[in-house]
Amino acid sequence: MFLGTRNRKAVSTVITTMIILVASVVLGTGVVSYGTSLFQTNASSEAISTTGTHLWVDSTGNSGWAWGAFDVRNSGDKLLSVDKIQIRGQAVPYANWYADANATQVTNQFQSVLVYSSMVVAQNSPDGQLNNGTSAGYPLIGNSCPNTNGNLIMQLTTGSPSLCFNQQNGPVSLAPGQKAIIYFKVPQNLLTSIDAGSANSIGVYAGKVGSPISVTVVAK
């Protein structure tokens, strides 16, 4: 005697495939959403803002020297270091940076118009160095701001204390909310008097944050 076959209920192949497909979509969406959320969280916690950006070229001769300056603030909630300044895609060496990040010195003059004084040697300056732009009788901020060892003393506003911009040898570190004013000497012949009146970009970066800014070059 042969045993009769029994009908067994089973999930069809089509339904099984649909279940696997839906599960994969749900899982993938969850991973993408989590990754997007994580990226947005990191991005929102790291940010810098720059204002008052300037570019000046020496108009006294064919020296090929140019200078720039900008205000920068760490507008995020993590410690950041301004580690790159680019002009026309070329990085400005750290030795060409002059920064004042001292809160006591910078706070009251952060919104002041950044100024250009003049070249130390008016005609074809051999090193492109700026005069200090200070007048006798105006006080310096702090206990020490020597005009030695490559430091740059600048007076942004007549009657206001002068600021001491220290020559750098590396990135400028900024705590959350900290401000700095940075002057920088553009590599020789990267900008010349021919570029006066034209728009050029200055890229200011702190790690993965920052962006280029379009600035009109001014002949001084």
Side-chain angles (χ1 to χ4, degrees), residues 122-191:
Q123 190 72 14
N124 298 326
S125 175
D127 58 2
Q129 198 64 24
L130 285 183
N131 280 324
N132 288 323
T134 59
S135 300
Y138 291 117
L140 300 178
I141 299 178
N143 297 325
S144 176
C145 187
N147 183 21
T148 58
N149 300 324
N151 288 344
L152 178 67
I153 301 173
M154 295 289 287
Q155 187 179 52
L156 302 184
T157 306
T158 301
S160 296
S162 301
L163 300 181
C164 181
F165 296 91
N166 295 308
Q167 187 175 22
Q168 304 297 299
N169 56 15
V172 178
S173 296
L174 297 175
Q178 187 177 359
K179 304 172 183 177
I181 301 174
I182 298 177
Y183 274 74
F184 61 92
K185 181 171 61 176
V186 178
Q188 192 174 22
N189 294 318
L190 191 58
L191 292 175

